[in-house]
Amino acid sequence: MAKYILGIDEGTTGARAFVIDDQCTVLGLAASELTQHYPRPGWIEHDPMEILSVQLEVIRAALRQAKLQPSDLTAVALTNQRETGIVWEKDTGRPIYNAVVWASRQTVDVVERWVDKGHGDMIEQRTGLIPDAYYTASKIRFILDAVPGAQERAERGELLAGTVDTWLIWNLTGRKSFVTEYSNASRTMMFNLETREWDDDLLAVYDIPRRMLAEIVPSDTIVGDIGATFGADVPIASNLGDQQAGLFGQAAFAPGQSKMTYGTAGVLNINCGEQPQRIAGLTPSMAWGVQGKVAYEIEGVLFAMGKTMQWLRDDLKLIHAAPDSEWYAGQVPSTDGVYLIPAFTGLSAPDWDPYARAAIIGMSNATTRLHIIRAAVESMVFQTRDVVEAALTGSDNIRIPELRVDGGAVKNNFLCQLQADVLGVAVVR
Ligand code: ADP
Protein backbone atom coordinates (compact mmCIF):
# COMPACT_ATOMS: atom_id res chain seq x y z
CA MET A 1 0.00 0.00 0.00
CA ALA A 2 1.29 3.44 -0.94
CA LYS A 3 2.34 5.75 1.85
CA TYR A 4 1.64 9.46 1.87
CA ILE A 5 3.13 12.29 3.89
CA LEU A 6 1.59 15.67 4.47
CA GLY A 7 4.14 18.50 4.59
CA ILE A 8 3.17 21.75 6.28
CA ASP A 9 5.21 24.90 5.62
CA GLU A 10 3.96 27.91 7.56
CA GLY A 11 6.01 30.81 6.17
CA THR A 12 6.20 34.56 6.64
CA THR A 13 4.51 35.56 3.42
CA GLY A 14 2.08 32.66 3.44
CA ALA A 15 1.28 29.06 4.24
CA ARG A 16 1.88 26.04 2.06
CA ALA A 17 0.93 22.40 2.31
CA PHE A 18 1.85 19.49 0.11
CA VAL A 19 1.27 15.78 -0.10
CA ILE A 20 4.00 13.45 -1.31
CA ASP A 21 4.08 9.71 -1.83
CA ASP A 22 6.89 7.37 -0.81
CA GLN A 23 8.74 8.16 -4.07
CA CYS A 24 8.71 11.87 -3.12
CA THR A 25 6.31 12.64 -5.95
CA VAL A 26 4.29 15.74 -5.14
CA LEU A 27 0.63 14.79 -5.51
CA GLY A 28 -0.94 17.94 -4.10
CA LEU A 29 0.39 21.41 -3.38
CA ALA A 30 -1.50 24.44 -2.15
CA ALA A 31 -0.39 27.87 -0.97
CA SER A 32 -2.10 30.96 0.31
CA GLU A 33 -0.90 34.37 1.44
CA LEU A 34 -1.05 35.74 4.94
CA THR A 35 -2.05 39.31 5.81
CA GLN A 36 0.92 41.38 6.94
CA HIS A 37 0.02 43.96 9.57
CA TYR A 38 2.27 47.01 9.92
CA PRO A 39 0.90 48.89 12.95
CA ARG A 40 3.89 51.30 12.90
CA PRO A 41 6.96 51.75 10.70
CA GLY A 42 9.28 48.79 11.27
CA TRP A 43 6.65 46.71 13.09
CA ILE A 44 5.35 43.49 11.51
CA GLU A 45 2.58 41.39 13.00
CA HIS A 46 0.41 38.44 11.94
CA ASP A 47 -2.97 37.36 13.26
CA PRO A 48 -2.36 33.92 14.86
CA MET A 49 -5.95 32.84 14.12
CA GLU A 50 -5.37 33.66 10.46
CA ILE A 51 -2.10 31.69 10.50
CA LEU A 52 -4.14 28.73 11.71
CA SER A 53 -7.12 29.14 9.36
CA VAL A 54 -4.95 29.71 6.27
CA GLN A 55 -2.85 26.69 7.19
CA LEU A 56 -5.90 24.44 7.65
CA GLU A 57 -7.33 25.69 4.36
CA VAL A 58 -4.20 24.86 2.34
CA ILE A 59 -3.92 21.43 3.99
CA ARG A 60 -7.47 20.65 2.84
CA ALA A 61 -6.72 22.01 -0.64
CA ALA A 62 -3.54 19.92 -0.97
CA LEU A 63 -5.42 16.77 0.09
CA ARG A 64 -8.21 17.51 -2.39
CA GLN A 65 -5.69 17.97 -5.17
CA ALA A 66 -4.02 14.67 -4.27
CA LYS A 67 -7.49 13.05 -4.14
CA LEU A 68 -6.71 11.69 -0.69
CA GLN A 69 -8.46 11.64 2.66
CA PRO A 70 -6.69 12.50 5.91
CA SER A 71 -6.96 8.80 6.82
CA ASP A 72 -4.76 7.95 3.80
CA LEU A 73 -1.83 9.80 5.37
CA THR A 74 1.02 8.04 7.18
CA ALA A 75 2.52 11.06 8.87
CA VAL A 76 2.62 14.84 9.06
CA ALA A 77 5.85 16.87 8.87
CA LEU A 78 5.99 20.51 9.90
CA THR A 79 8.21 23.48 9.21
CA ASN A 80 7.55 27.13 9.98
CA GLN A 81 8.79 30.70 10.15
CA ARG A 82 11.10 30.85 13.16
CA GLU A 83 11.49 33.33 16.06
CA THR A 84 7.98 34.79 15.69
CA GLY A 85 6.31 34.90 19.12
CA ILE A 86 2.67 34.22 20.11
CA VAL A 87 0.98 34.42 23.53
CA TRP A 88 -2.46 32.88 24.03
CA GLU A 89 -4.99 31.89 26.68
CA LYS A 90 -4.72 28.30 27.82
CA ASP A 91 -8.48 27.96 28.42
CA THR A 92 -9.93 29.60 25.33
CA GLY A 93 -7.05 29.29 22.85
CA ARG A 94 -7.44 32.99 22.12
CA PRO A 95 -4.24 34.94 21.39
CA ILE A 96 -3.94 37.99 23.63
CA TYR A 97 -2.04 39.97 20.97
CA ASN A 98 -0.96 39.54 17.37
CA ALA A 99 2.02 37.33 16.57
CA VAL A 100 5.11 39.54 16.64
CA VAL A 101 7.00 38.51 13.52
CA TRP A 102 10.74 37.73 13.41
CA ALA A 103 11.47 40.66 11.07
CA SER A 104 9.71 43.18 13.29
CA ARG A 105 11.92 45.76 14.97
CA GLN A 106 9.37 46.72 17.63
CA THR A 107 11.45 45.27 20.45
CA VAL A 108 14.81 46.94 19.80
CA ASP A 109 14.50 48.91 23.06
CA VAL A 110 13.48 45.81 25.04
CA VAL A 111 16.76 44.16 24.06
CA GLU A 112 18.69 47.37 24.64
CA ARG A 113 17.40 47.43 28.23
CA TRP A 114 18.71 43.91 28.86
CA VAL A 115 22.07 44.76 27.34
CA ASP A 116 22.31 48.07 29.26
CA LYS A 117 21.75 46.16 32.49
CA GLY A 118 24.84 44.10 31.63
CA HIS A 119 23.18 40.84 30.57
CA GLY A 120 24.48 40.85 26.98
CA ASP A 121 27.45 38.56 27.63
CA MET A 122 25.38 36.01 29.54
CA ILE A 123 22.76 35.94 26.79
CA GLU A 124 25.43 35.32 24.16
CA GLN A 125 27.28 32.80 26.32
CA ARG A 126 24.22 30.69 27.08
CA THR A 127 22.26 30.93 23.81
CA GLY A 128 24.99 31.63 21.25
CA LEU A 129 22.86 34.49 19.94
CA ILE A 130 23.98 38.09 19.73
CA PRO A 131 21.18 39.91 21.63
CA ASP A 132 18.76 41.27 19.05
CA ALA A 133 15.08 42.10 18.56
CA TYR A 134 15.02 39.29 16.00
CA TYR A 135 14.59 36.57 18.64
CA THR A 136 11.43 35.37 20.39
CA ALA A 137 12.23 36.34 23.99
CA SER A 138 11.88 40.07 23.36
CA LYS A 139 8.63 39.50 21.45
CA ILE A 140 7.07 37.64 24.39
CA ARG A 141 8.32 40.34 26.78
CA PHE A 142 6.75 42.97 24.49
CA ILE A 143 3.35 41.24 24.49
CA LEU A 144 3.37 40.76 28.27
CA ASP A 145 4.07 44.50 28.63
CA ALA A 146 1.61 45.63 25.96
CA VAL A 147 -1.45 43.80 27.33
CA PRO A 148 -2.66 45.00 30.75
CA GLY A 149 -2.58 42.24 33.39
CA ALA A 150 -0.80 39.77 31.12
CA GLN A 151 2.27 39.36 33.35
CA GLU A 152 0.13 38.41 36.35
CA ARG A 153 -1.96 36.04 34.25
CA ALA A 154 1.18 34.42 32.89
CA GLU A 155 2.47 33.92 36.42
CA ARG A 156 -0.83 32.31 37.41
CA GLY A 157 -0.44 29.85 34.54
CA GLU A 158 -3.33 31.18 32.48
CA LEU A 159 -1.25 32.06 29.40
CA LEU A 160 0.91 30.00 27.05
CA ALA A 161 3.69 31.35 24.85
CA GLY A 162 5.50 29.87 21.92
CA THR A 163 6.87 29.95 18.43
CA VAL A 164 4.64 29.18 15.44
CA ASP A 165 5.35 25.41 15.54
CA THR A 166 4.10 25.26 19.12
CA TRP A 167 0.98 27.23 18.21
CA LEU A 168 0.17 25.01 15.22
CA ILE A 169 0.85 21.71 17.00
CA TRP A 170 -1.21 22.76 20.03
CA ASN A 171 -4.12 23.55 17.75
CA LEU A 172 -3.73 20.63 15.34
CA THR A 173 -3.68 18.17 18.24
CA GLY A 174 -6.83 19.63 19.76
CA ARG A 175 -4.84 21.47 22.49
CA LYS A 176 -3.25 18.26 23.73
CA SER A 177 0.43 18.72 22.84
CA PHE A 178 2.30 21.75 24.10
CA VAL A 179 5.74 21.21 22.60
CA THR A 180 8.56 22.63 20.52
CA GLU A 181 11.83 21.07 19.35
CA TYR A 182 15.53 21.91 19.27
CA SER A 183 15.87 23.94 16.07
CA ASN A 184 12.97 26.25 16.87
CA ALA A 185 13.78 26.55 20.57
CA SER A 186 17.39 27.49 19.85
CA ARG A 187 16.21 30.63 18.03
CA THR A 188 14.25 32.04 20.97
CA MET A 189 17.16 33.49 23.00
CA MET A 190 15.79 31.50 25.98
CA PHE A 191 17.40 28.15 25.12
CA ASN A 192 20.66 26.98 26.66
CA LEU A 193 22.86 25.44 23.95
CA GLU A 194 24.71 23.18 26.40
CA THR A 195 21.85 21.81 28.51
CA ARG A 196 19.37 21.95 25.61
CA GLU A 197 16.70 23.25 27.98
CA TRP A 198 15.11 26.63 28.72
CA ASP A 199 17.68 28.65 30.71
CA ASP A 200 16.20 29.66 34.08
CA ASP A 201 18.70 32.49 34.64
CA LEU A 202 17.77 34.06 31.34
CA LEU A 203 14.06 33.63 31.98
CA ALA A 204 14.63 35.51 35.26
CA VAL A 205 16.33 38.35 33.37
CA TYR A 206 13.45 38.51 30.88
CA ASP A 207 10.84 37.98 33.64
CA ILE A 208 9.17 35.32 31.49
CA PRO A 209 7.51 32.62 33.67
CA ARG A 210 8.78 29.17 32.72
CA ARG A 211 5.30 27.69 33.06
CA MET A 212 4.29 29.62 29.89
CA LEU A 213 6.78 27.66 27.81
CA ALA A 214 6.42 24.37 25.96
CA GLU A 215 8.32 21.13 26.49
CA ILE A 216 11.38 20.85 24.21
CA VAL A 217 11.72 17.50 22.40
CA PRO A 218 13.94 16.08 19.63
CA SER A 219 12.86 17.05 16.10
CA ASP A 220 11.67 13.57 15.08
CA THR A 221 9.45 13.03 18.13
CA ILE A 222 5.89 11.95 17.47
CA VAL A 223 4.25 14.82 19.33
CA GLY A 224 0.61 13.92 18.83
CA ASP A 225 -1.89 13.38 16.05
CA ILE A 226 -4.30 15.44 13.97
CA GLY A 227 -7.39 13.43 14.95
CA ALA A 228 -9.01 16.39 16.68
CA THR A 229 -8.79 18.60 13.57
CA PHE A 230 -8.92 16.12 10.67
CA GLY A 231 -10.72 13.12 12.15
CA ALA A 232 -7.87 10.69 11.47
CA ASP A 233 -5.19 10.01 14.06
CA VAL A 234 -2.22 10.64 11.76
CA PRO A 235 0.93 11.34 13.80
CA ILE A 236 2.83 14.63 13.60
CA ALA A 237 6.23 13.01 13.31
CA SER A 238 8.71 15.74 12.51
CA ASN A 239 9.16 19.42 13.19
CA LEU A 240 12.00 21.76 12.14
CA GLY A 241 12.43 25.51 11.81
CA ASP A 242 12.47 26.63 8.16
CA GLN A 243 16.21 27.21 7.74
CA GLN A 244 17.23 23.99 9.46
CA ALA A 245 14.63 22.17 7.36
CA GLY A 246 16.34 23.72 4.33
CA LEU A 247 19.73 22.45 5.54
CA PHE A 248 18.22 18.98 6.02
CA GLY A 249 16.51 19.18 2.62
CA GLN A 250 19.86 19.94 0.96
CA ALA A 251 21.12 16.71 2.55
CA ALA A 252 23.77 18.56 4.55
CA PHE A 253 23.96 15.75 7.11
CA ALA A 254 27.74 15.77 7.61
CA PRO A 255 29.69 18.35 9.61
CA GLY A 256 30.97 21.13 7.33
CA GLN A 257 28.15 20.80 4.80
CA SER A 258 26.13 23.93 4.20
CA LYS A 259 23.36 25.67 2.29
CA MET A 260 22.55 29.25 1.41
CA THR A 261 18.95 30.44 1.02
CA TYR A 262 18.04 33.55 -0.96
CA GLY A 263 14.49 34.24 0.19
CA THR A 264 12.98 37.40 1.62
CA ALA A 265 15.93 37.21 3.98
CA GLY A 266 19.13 35.28 3.29
CA VAL A 267 20.50 32.54 5.51
CA LEU A 268 23.73 30.58 5.42
CA ASN A 269 23.54 27.41 7.55
CA ILE A 270 26.51 25.13 8.19
CA ASN A 271 26.25 21.74 9.88
CA CYS A 272 28.73 21.69 12.78
CA GLY A 273 28.21 18.20 14.14
CA GLU A 274 27.55 17.21 17.73
CA GLN A 275 29.12 20.21 19.49
CA PRO A 276 28.20 23.89 19.22
CA GLN A 277 30.84 25.95 17.45
CA ARG A 278 31.41 29.67 17.96
CA ILE A 279 32.44 31.98 15.13
CA ALA A 280 32.58 35.78 15.45
CA GLY A 281 29.59 37.46 13.83
CA LEU A 282 27.71 34.22 13.17
CA THR A 283 25.33 32.47 15.53
CA PRO A 284 25.48 28.87 16.70
CA SER A 285 22.10 27.13 16.94
CA MET A 286 20.72 23.62 16.95
CA ALA A 287 20.32 22.01 13.55
CA TRP A 288 18.17 19.13 14.79
CA GLY A 289 17.84 16.14 17.03
CA VAL A 290 17.08 13.00 15.01
CA GLN A 291 17.45 9.27 15.62
CA GLY A 292 18.83 9.86 19.08
CA LYS A 293 21.60 12.23 17.96
CA VAL A 294 21.85 16.00 17.92
CA ALA A 295 23.52 18.24 15.36
CA TYR A 296 24.45 21.88 15.85
CA GLU A 297 24.78 24.45 13.11
CA ILE A 298 26.31 27.85 12.59
CA GLU A 299 24.14 30.45 10.96
CA GLY A 300 24.62 33.74 9.16
CA VAL A 301 21.35 35.58 8.65
CA LEU A 302 21.02 38.52 6.25
CA PHE A 303 17.87 40.53 6.89
CA ALA A 304 17.52 41.94 3.36
CA MET A 305 17.96 39.65 0.35
CA GLY A 306 14.94 39.27 -1.95
CA LYS A 307 13.45 42.00 0.20
CA THR A 308 15.70 44.50 -1.58
CA MET A 309 14.06 43.45 -4.86
CA GLN A 310 10.65 44.07 -3.32
CA TRP A 311 11.82 47.56 -2.36
CA LEU A 312 13.02 48.27 -5.93
CA ARG A 313 9.65 47.04 -7.18
CA ASP A 314 7.15 48.45 -4.66
CA ASP A 315 8.79 51.61 -3.36
CA LEU A 316 11.28 52.85 -5.96
CA LYS A 317 9.22 51.34 -8.80
CA LEU A 318 12.42 50.72 -10.78
CA ILE A 319 11.31 47.23 -11.79
CA HIS A 320 7.96 45.63 -12.48
CA ALA A 321 8.65 42.26 -10.94
CA ALA A 322 11.59 40.79 -9.02
CA PRO A 323 12.71 38.50 -11.89
CA ASP A 324 13.13 41.58 -14.16
CA SER A 325 16.20 42.47 -12.12
CA GLU A 326 18.16 39.80 -13.99
CA TRP A 327 17.63 41.39 -17.39
CA TYR A 328 18.31 44.94 -16.18
CA ALA A 329 21.46 43.96 -14.31
CA GLY A 330 22.85 42.44 -17.50
CA GLN A 331 22.36 45.65 -19.49
CA VAL A 332 25.42 47.36 -17.97
CA PRO A 333 28.91 45.86 -17.74
CA SER A 334 29.29 46.96 -14.11
CA THR A 335 27.69 49.18 -11.48
CA ASP A 336 30.32 51.79 -12.34
CA GLY A 337 31.27 52.11 -8.68
CA VAL A 338 27.77 52.19 -7.24
CA TYR A 339 27.08 50.13 -4.10
CA LEU A 340 23.78 49.52 -2.39
CA ILE A 341 23.94 48.64 1.31
CA PRO A 342 20.53 47.17 2.15
CA ALA A 343 20.53 47.88 5.89
CA PHE A 344 16.84 48.83 5.88
CA THR A 345 16.26 47.33 9.30
CA GLY A 346 19.84 47.46 10.53
CA LEU A 347 22.70 45.12 9.70
CA SER A 348 22.51 41.47 10.69
CA ALA A 349 25.36 38.94 10.36
CA PRO A 350 28.24 39.42 10.59
CA ASP A 351 28.07 43.07 11.74
CA TRP A 352 24.97 43.19 13.98
CA ASP A 353 24.22 46.91 14.08
CA PRO A 354 20.51 47.52 14.70
CA TYR A 355 20.92 51.25 14.05
CA ALA A 356 22.64 51.04 10.66
CA ARG A 357 20.47 52.24 7.78
CA ALA A 358 20.51 51.57 4.05
CA ALA A 359 22.58 53.64 1.62
CA ILE A 360 23.39 53.92 -2.06
CA ILE A 361 26.89 55.27 -2.54
CA GLY A 362 29.29 55.98 -5.37
CA MET A 363 26.80 57.66 -7.74
CA SER A 364 27.85 60.11 -10.44
CA ASN A 365 25.99 62.04 -13.15
CA ALA A 366 26.35 58.97 -15.34
CA THR A 367 24.53 56.67 -12.88
CA THR A 368 21.30 55.26 -14.27
CA ARG A 369 18.64 53.03 -12.84
CA LEU A 370 20.39 50.09 -14.48
CA HIS A 371 23.41 50.67 -12.23
CA ILE A 372 21.21 50.87 -9.16
CA ILE A 373 19.32 47.69 -10.05
CA ARG A 374 22.59 45.90 -10.69
CA ALA A 375 24.00 47.18 -7.39
CA ALA A 376 20.91 45.82 -5.64
CA VAL A 377 21.43 42.34 -7.09
CA GLU A 378 25.13 42.57 -6.29
CA SER A 379 24.27 43.42 -2.68
CA MET A 380 22.87 39.90 -2.33
CA VAL A 381 26.14 38.47 -3.62
CA PHE A 382 28.41 40.61 -1.45
CA GLN A 383 26.39 40.02 1.70
CA THR A 384 26.65 36.30 1.06
CA ARG A 385 30.38 36.65 0.64
CA ASP A 386 30.52 38.44 4.02
CA VAL A 387 28.95 35.53 5.89
CA VAL A 388 30.82 32.85 3.95
CA GLU A 389 34.14 34.59 4.68
CA ALA A 390 33.21 35.04 8.34
CA ALA A 391 32.65 31.28 8.50
CA LEU A 392 35.88 30.39 6.70
CA THR A 393 38.15 32.78 8.59
CA GLY A 394 36.57 32.05 11.95
CA SER A 395 36.97 28.29 11.81
CA ASP A 396 39.66 25.72 11.01
CA ASN A 397 37.34 22.92 10.01
CA ILE A 398 34.69 24.55 7.85
CA ARG A 399 35.20 24.22 4.10
CA ILE A 400 32.74 25.44 1.52
CA PRO A 401 33.88 23.65 -1.64
CA GLU A 402 30.53 24.37 -3.28
CA LEU A 403 27.54 26.50 -2.32
CA ARG A 404 24.21 24.67 -2.33
CA VAL A 405 21.55 27.31 -2.87
CA ASP A 406 17.79 27.64 -2.71
CA GLY A 407 15.05 30.24 -2.21
CA GLY A 408 12.97 32.31 -4.62
CA ALA A 409 15.81 34.54 -5.86
CA VAL A 410 18.03 31.70 -7.12
CA LYS A 411 16.02 31.62 -10.33
CA ASN A 412 18.11 34.70 -11.13
CA ASN A 413 21.00 33.37 -13.26
CA PHE A 414 22.93 36.63 -13.07
CA LEU A 415 22.86 36.39 -9.28
CA CYS A 416 24.02 32.76 -9.19
CA GLN A 417 26.79 33.26 -11.74
CA LEU A 418 28.14 36.36 -10.03
CA GLN A 419 28.01 34.52 -6.68
CA ALA A 420 30.09 31.71 -8.13
CA ASP A 421 32.58 34.19 -9.62
CA VAL A 422 32.92 36.21 -6.43
CA LEU A 423 33.38 33.17 -4.17
CA GLY A 424 35.36 31.14 -6.68
CA VAL A 425 33.30 28.02 -6.00
CA ALA A 426 30.50 26.23 -7.85
CA VAL A 427 27.01 27.35 -6.97
CA VAL A 428 24.75 24.30 -6.99
CA ARG A 429 21.13 25.17 -7.54
P1 ADP B 1 10.29 33.46 1.52
O1 ADP B 1 10.12 31.97 1.57
O2 ADP B 1 11.36 34.01 2.38
O3 ADP B 1 9.01 34.22 1.61
P2 ADP B 1 11.04 32.96 -1.28
O4 ADP B 1 12.09 31.92 -1.12
O5 ADP B 1 9.72 32.56 -1.83
O6 ADP B 1 10.86 33.81 0.04
O7 ADP B 1 11.66 34.10 -2.24
C1 ADP B 1 10.95 35.27 -2.49
C2 ADP B 1 11.92 36.44 -2.61
O8 ADP B 1 12.77 36.25 -3.74
C3 ADP B 1 11.20 37.75 -2.81
O9 ADP B 1 11.75 38.68 -1.88
C4 ADP B 1 11.51 38.16 -4.23
O10 ADP B 1 11.73 39.56 -4.32
C5 ADP B 1 12.80 37.42 -4.54
N1 ADP B 1 12.89 36.99 -5.94
C6 ADP B 1 12.06 36.14 -6.58
N2 ADP B 1 12.47 35.94 -7.84
C7 ADP B 1 13.58 36.66 -8.03
C8 ADP B 1 14.51 36.85 -9.10
N3 ADP B 1 14.35 36.22 -10.27
N4 ADP B 1 15.57 37.66 -8.89
C9 ADP B 1 15.77 38.26 -7.71
N5 ADP B 1 14.94 38.11 -6.66
C10 ADP B 1 13.87 37.33 -6.80
Side-chain angles (χ1 to χ4, degrees), residues 13 16 262-265 306-307 309-310 313 322-323 325-326 380 407-409 411-412:
T13 41
R16 266 178 293 230
Y262 301 76
T264 312
K307 196 147 186 251
M309 294 299 128
Q310 292 165 323
R313 183 192 64 196
S325 60
E326 179 176 347
M380 298 201 250
K411 289 189 205 100
N412 188 316

Side-chain angles (χ1 to χ4, degrees), residues 32-50:
S32 184
E33 293 220 339
L34 198 61
T35 316
Q36 311 288 318
H37 299 276
Y38 302 104
R40 293 190 204 171
W43 294 30
I44 308 175
E45 298 176 355
H46 291 160
D47 173 356
M49 297 311 286
E50 190 193 352

Side-chain angles (χ1 to χ4, degrees), residues 35-103:
T35 316
Q36 311 288 318
H37 299 276
Y38 302 104
R40 293 190 204 171
W43 294 30
I44 308 175
E45 298 176 355
H46 291 160
D47 173 356
M49 297 311 286
E50 190 193 352
I51 291 180
L52 185 62
S53 61
V54 168
Q55 192 62 70
L56 293 175
E57 178 193 308
V58 294
I59 291 172
R60 288 189 199 103
L63 282 167
R64 263 199 312 276
Q65 215 183 80
K67 299 192 171 57
L68 292 172
Q69 299 297 320
S71 56
D72 296 323
L73 297 169
T74 302
V76 179
L78 171 67
T79 187
N80 61 278
Q81 54 166 317
R82 308 175 306 168
E83 294 106 7
T84 297
I86 304 176
V87 178
W88 67 95
E89 292 176 343
K90 195 182 193 169
D91 279 351
T92 67
R94 225 166 18 123
I96 65 164
Y97 191 91
N98 273 341
V100 180
V101 175
W102 60 270

Side-chain angles (χ1 to χ4, degrees), residues 340-417:
L340 187 150
I341 299 115
F344 301 105
T345 53
L347 283 171
S348 47
D351 301 292
W352 297 103
D353 180 352
Y355 298 108
R357 284 298 171 265
I360 300 174
I361 56 167
M363 291 184 286
S364 72
N365 286 334
T367 300
T368 69
R369 76 170 174 154
L370 297 176
H371 297 107
I372 293 174
I373 294 166
R374 184 174 172 124
V377 178
E378 290 193 357
S379 77
M380 298 201 250
V381 170
F382 291 135
Q383 288 190 105
T384 299
R385 181 173 70 179
D386 279 349
V387 289
V388 166
E389 285 185 348
L392 294 177
T393 53
S395 154
D396 295 333
N397 59 355
I398 292 173
R399 309 259 182 284
I400 304 187
E402 62 177 26
L403 196 67
R404 298 179 186 180
V405 301
D406 54 42
V410 300
K411 289 189 205 100
N412 188 316
N413 292 320
F414 174 88
L415 167 76
C416 291
Q417 185 59 56

Side-chain angles (χ1 to χ4, degrees), residues 137-418:
S138 67
K139 323 253 188 211
I140 295 174
R141 182 67 259 148
F142 176 91
I143 297 173
L144 292 178
D145 288 337
V147 180
Q151 181 71 26
E152 294 71 30
R153 298 187 64 198
E155 280 162 15
R156 287 199 300 268
E158 295 169 20
L159 300 180
L160 302 178
T163 38
V164 174
D165 58 317
T166 302
W167 169 246
L168 285 177
I169 291 171
W170 191 77
N171 279 289
L172 284 168
T173 59
R175 305 179 179 178
K176 279 201 214 92
S177 304
F178 185 52
V179 294
T180 185
E181 56 72 63
Y182 293 143
S183 70
N184 278 289
S186 69
R187 307 297 296 172
T188 60
M189 217 166 81
M190 301 185 283
F191 177 86
N192 186 309
L193 273 187
E194 308 288 337
T195 64
R196 300 199 283 271
E197 263 301 337
W198 302 122
D199 187 296
D200 285 318
D201 296 333
L202 290 178
L203 295 181
V205 167
Y206 308 150
D207 202 12
I208 294 177
R210 191 183 171 120
R211 61 194 305 187
M212 295 185 83
L213 301 179
E215 184 193 351
I216 305 168
V217 298
S219 318
D220 59 354
T221 306
I222 291 179
V223 294
D225 64 66
I226 59 170
T229 33
F230 285 91
D233 55 358
V234 186
I236 301 175
S238 91
N239 176 18
L240 276 180
D242 54 10
Q243 299 305 325
Q244 288 93 334
L247 187 67
F248 199 91
Q250 293 269 19
F253 303 133
Q257 291 182 325
S258 59
K259 71 90 177 139
M260 176 73 206
T261 298
Y262 301 76
T264 312
V267 191
L268 173 71
N269 301 72
I270 306 169
N271 186 326
C272 290
E274 289 171 40
Q275 293 297 325
Q277 194 171 341
R278 307 224 173 213
I279 295 179
L282 305 181
T283 51
S285 289
M286 298 285 306
W288 47 72
V290 286
Q291 297 183 327
K293 275 195 181 168
V294 297
Y296 287 82
E297 54 144 26
I298 195 97
E299 189 161 314
V301 64
L302 301 161
F303 288 153
M305 287 298 259
K307 196 147 186 251
T308 308
M309 294 299 128
Q310 292 165 323
W311 180 70
L312 288 188
R313 183 192 64 196
D314 302 337
D315 300 289
L316 292 194
K317 305 201 187 306
L318 289 188
I319 54 177
H320 212 70
D324 295 349
S325 60
E326 179 176 347
W327 185 82
Y328 285 117
Q331 297 307 299
V332 281
S334 77
T335 66
D336 212 6
V338 176
Y339 291 91
L340 187 150
I341 299 115
F344 301 105
T345 53
L347 283 171
S348 47
D351 301 292
W352 297 103
D353 180 352
Y355 298 108
R357 284 298 171 265
I360 300 174
I361 56 167
M363 291 184 286
S364 72
N365 286 334
T367 300
T368 69
R369 76 170 174 154
L370 297 176
H371 297 107
I372 293 174
I373 294 166
R374 184 174 172 124
V377 178
E378 290 193 357
S379 77
M380 298 201 250
V381 170
F382 291 135
Q383 288 190 105
T384 299
R385 181 173 70 179
D386 279 349
V387 289
V388 166
E389 285 185 348
L392 294 177
T393 53
S395 154
D396 295 333
N397 59 355
I398 292 173
R399 309 259 182 284
I400 304 187
E402 62 177 26
L403 196 67
R404 298 179 186 180
V405 301
D406 54 42
V410 300
K411 289 189 205 100
N412 188 316
N413 292 320
F414 174 88
L415 167 76
C416 291
Q417 185 59 56
L418 187 67

